[in-house]
Amino acid sequence: MGVSKFRGIIIKESDVGEADKILTFFTKEYGKLHVRAKGARKAKSKYMASSQIFSYGDFVVFTGNNFKSLTQADIIEGFYDIRTDYEKLAYGSAVLEIVDKSTYEESENQEILRLILRTLQNLNKKDSEGRLIFSAFIFKYLQISGYTPELTSCVECGEEIDLNNLYFGIEGLLCKNCRNNSSHSTAVNYAAVYALNYIIDSDIKNMYNFKADKNTVDNLRKMADIFLENLDLNLKSLELLENI
């Protein structure tokens, strides 16, 4: 039993009891944590504003026997523009759901927290390109998780890739022959592969420092959807993205 402090972001909130919430944090110090915020759903609760997803700040919790209870919250960033824009909210929610469903409790990974924050900071900007940001996030997140696409030769047969006939499958680039034997692949353009190389090779701080035309963004999104199958997640938030 005792008090602990951490800096983190709320990646999920669930109602429990008459007025409480269970908050899922991704933190710098401890990785993913589940904390109860007592009375957070009450109109006059001091935790009402600080117990919502996307809230990033410094938090204090009391740990008892088999439970953690929120005792203090100082919000650094609430990512307001994400909350008030349907498209940004859909992409931001998908980012948080991916992290929630593919990480374990109290498994520290500061690179993931850096990536979450960098992604939301860019998504929060005026006129941000949600599809591009979301696609880049998927590739960098999977790279951190141990999945990096093969981009130099065919992932199936090892043959050199024809730059005029590029195809992308669940593990990376495919030649034309191997593409015909794959049930999960898509034709892509060279600009999208070039952009993907930039994302993979860049530090998190710089990974969003590029622009792409609509066709390239479309290609990156298709590639990201296929590559995301490596995590085998049932993402509810992707339903919000179907018409975006």
Side-chain angles (χ1 to χ4, degrees), residues 9-16 20-25 34-35 37 40-41 47-55 83 89 96 100:
I9 184 167
I10 298 174
I11 62 174
K12 183 180 180 180
E13 55 176 297
S14 303
D15 294 346
V16 63
D20 297 353
K21 285 184 179 182
I22 297 295
L23 305 176
T24 303
F25 292 88
H34 300 294
V35 177
R41 287 154 51 208
Y47 299 128
M48 175 172 280
S50 57
S51 62
Q52 302 177 35
I53 61 168
F54 303 114
S55 295
R83 301 171 188 272
L89 178 63
L96 299 187
D100 178 46

Side-chain angles (χ1 to χ4, degrees), residues 131-132 135-136 139 188-189 191-197 199 210 212 214-226:
R131 291 184 307 150
L132 178 59
S135 300
F139 284 111
V188 295
N189 62 10
V193 176
Y194 185 87
L196 178 51
N197 267 296
I199 294 165
F210 73 99
K214 182 181 183 303
N215 188 41
T216 300
V217 173
D218 289 343
N219 276 254
L220 278 171
R221 177 67 199 280
K222 290 190 297 182
M223 293 160 70
D225 284 345
I226 290 175

Side-chain angles (χ1 to χ4, degrees), residues 4-10 25-31 33 55-60 74 76 113 117:
S4 57
K5 301 178 181 180
F6 60 81
R7 175 167 289 188
I9 184 167
I10 298 174
F25 292 88
F26 201 87
T27 75
K28 177 180 179 181
E29 292 83 359
Y30 308 108
L33 292 176
S55 295
Y56 171 66
D58 294 316
F59 301 89
V60 180
D74 296 309
I76 297 171
L113 181 59
L117 293 175

Side-chain angles (χ1 to χ4, degrees), residues 88-105:
K88 292 181 178 182
L89 178 63
Y91 282 116
S93 297
V95 165
L96 299 187
E97 186 181 3
I98 288 170
V99 174
D100 178 46
K101 289 190 172 181
S102 59
T103 55
Y104 299 99
E105 188 167 3

Side-chain angles (χ1 to χ4, degrees), residues 196-209:
L196 178 51
N197 267 296
Y198 175 83
I199 294 165
I200 295 299
D201 292 340
S202 295
D203 180 82
I204 291 171
K205 180 181 179 180
N206 302 315
M207 61 177 282
Y208 293 113
N209 294 345

Side-chain angles (χ1 to χ4, degrees), residues 106-149:
E106 298 192 31
S107 179
E108 180 186 359
N109 192 320
Q110 293 190 27
E111 285 295 281
I112 289 179
L113 181 59
R114 285 184 63 218
L115 177 59
I116 296 170
L117 293 175
R118 191 64 175 169
T119 300
L120 296 183
Q121 286 166 356
N122 278 270
L123 193 58
N124 200 52
K125 293 179 180 178
K126 184 179 180 181
D127 300 325
S128 61
E129 173 55 83
R131 291 184 307 150
L132 178 59
I133 293 171
F134 180 65
S135 300
F137 164 80
I138 288 175
F139 284 111
K140 182 60 76 173
Y141 182 77
L142 283 163
Q143 181 187 24
I144 293 172
S145 302
Y147 301 94
T148 301

